């Protein structure tokens, strides 16, 4: 399904739900939904707020309330993060894999045909999967390099301190 078709479909799903539940069809909700479906990967609520604040004024409460609504409708999924929750569009996405750094919170997409094949051929007992998302938590290369530099600096300062103590 093309991006434009997906955006129209999720907008229709939202409109139908709001009308059926006698809720207001506010431009803010649609702006949040549109922004979400323009994202290429996972995002935090704060990142979404920052993106929208550049072009469209919405409150943080609107962001969080909209995310909760979209979770209910199956339009977004929430990846529990180390220090914050990350969200991601999920309508029209079958399999999705994310690697999340536990130090800086950066999330990046990756693909693995081996994992996809394994998960799609798995027999699920009394369950029909609609969306498969895999989160791999670890340390990104930038954070690993920073941690290594910090450790070397600490060991060097510790060694020089011990050398000066032993001379006395």
């Amino acid at each position: 399904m093309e991006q434009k078709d997906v955006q129209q479909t999720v907008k229709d799903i939202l409109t139908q739900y709001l009308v059926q539940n006698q809720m207001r069809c506010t431009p803010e909700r649609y702006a949040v939904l549109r922004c979400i479906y323009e994202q290429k990967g996972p995002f935090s609520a704060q990142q979404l707020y920052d993106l929208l604040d550049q072009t469209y004024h919405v409150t943080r409460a609107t962001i969080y309330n909209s995310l909760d609504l979209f979770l209910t409708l199956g339009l977004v999924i929430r990846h529990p993060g180390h220090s914050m929750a990350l969200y991601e569009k999920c309508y029209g996405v079958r399999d999705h894999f994310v690697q999340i750094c536990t130090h800086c919170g950066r999330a990046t997409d990756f693909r693995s045909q081996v994992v996809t094949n394994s998960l799609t051929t798995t027999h699920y007992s009394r369950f029909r999967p609609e969306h498969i998302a895999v989160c791999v938590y670890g340390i990104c290369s930038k954070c690993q390099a920073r941690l290594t530099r910090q450790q070397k600096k600490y060991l060097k300062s510790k060694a020089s301190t011990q050398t000066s103590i032993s001379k006395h």
Side-chain angles (χ1 to χ4, degrees):
M1 197 179 257
E2 284 189 43
Q3 175 70 12
K4 190 174 182 178
D5 295 336
V6 169
Q7 284 199 1
Q8 184 59 50
T9 302
V10 297
K11 183 179 177 185
D12 292 345
I13 290 169
L14 175 59
T15 302
Q16 182 180 9
Y17 180 86
L18 295 173
V19 169
Q20 284 177 349
N21 291 282
Q22 299 176 349
M23 297 170 73
R24 293 181 20 221
C25 297
T26 64
E28 291 83 6
R29 284 185 177 134
Y30 291 107
V32 173
L33 185 64
R34 184 175 48 256
C35 187
I36 289 170
Y37 274 81
E38 290 172 353
Q39 300 310 302
K40 298 271 188 254
F43 54 86
S44 68
Q46 182 62 46
Q47 289 169 325
L48 186 60
Y49 175 79
D50 292 342
L51 284 167
L52 281 163
D53 197 41
Q54 296 171 9
T55 58
Y56 198 93
H57 178 71
V58 293
T59 65
R60 282 185 174 81
T62 298
I63 297 287
Y64 284 103
N65 291 335
S66 296
L67 286 169
D68 287 343
L69 175 61
F70 302 156
L71 283 164
T72 300
L73 294 174
L75 301 178
V76 297
I77 57 173
R78 179 178 24 224
H79 302 292
H82 177 66
S83 60
M84 71 185 124
L86 294 174
Y87 299 87
E88 192 165 14
K89 64 185 174 189
C90 65
Y91 187 87
V93 178
R94 176 72 178 127
D95 304 324
H96 191 70
F97 309 112
V98 181
Q99 50 195 25
I100 301 171
C101 180
T102 56
H103 283 262
C104 68
R106 195 173 118 229
T108 53
D109 295 339
F110 72 96
R111 294 279 176 224
S112 172
Q113 196 59 47
V114 173
V115 175
T116 299
N117 292 342
S118 176
L119 292 171
T120 55
T121 58
T122 299
H123 173 71
Y124 298 91
S125 179
R126 305 170 113 191
F127 185 78
R128 181 181 55 90
E130 295 175 354
H131 178 82
I132 297 174
V134 175
C135 294
V136 179
Y137 296 92
I139 302 173
C140 70
S141 59
K142 286 182 181 179
C143 289
Q144 185 59 54
R146 186 171 16 91
L147 290 170
T148 301
R149 284 191 307 273
Q150 288 172 349
Q151 184 178 23
K152 285 181 181 179
K153 186 177 177 181
Y154 171 76
L155 292 174
K156 186 177 178 180
S157 69
K158 188 176 178 180
S160 67
T161 302
Q162 288 180 349
T163 305
S164 66
I165 292 173
S166 63
K167 288 181 180 180
H168 289 39

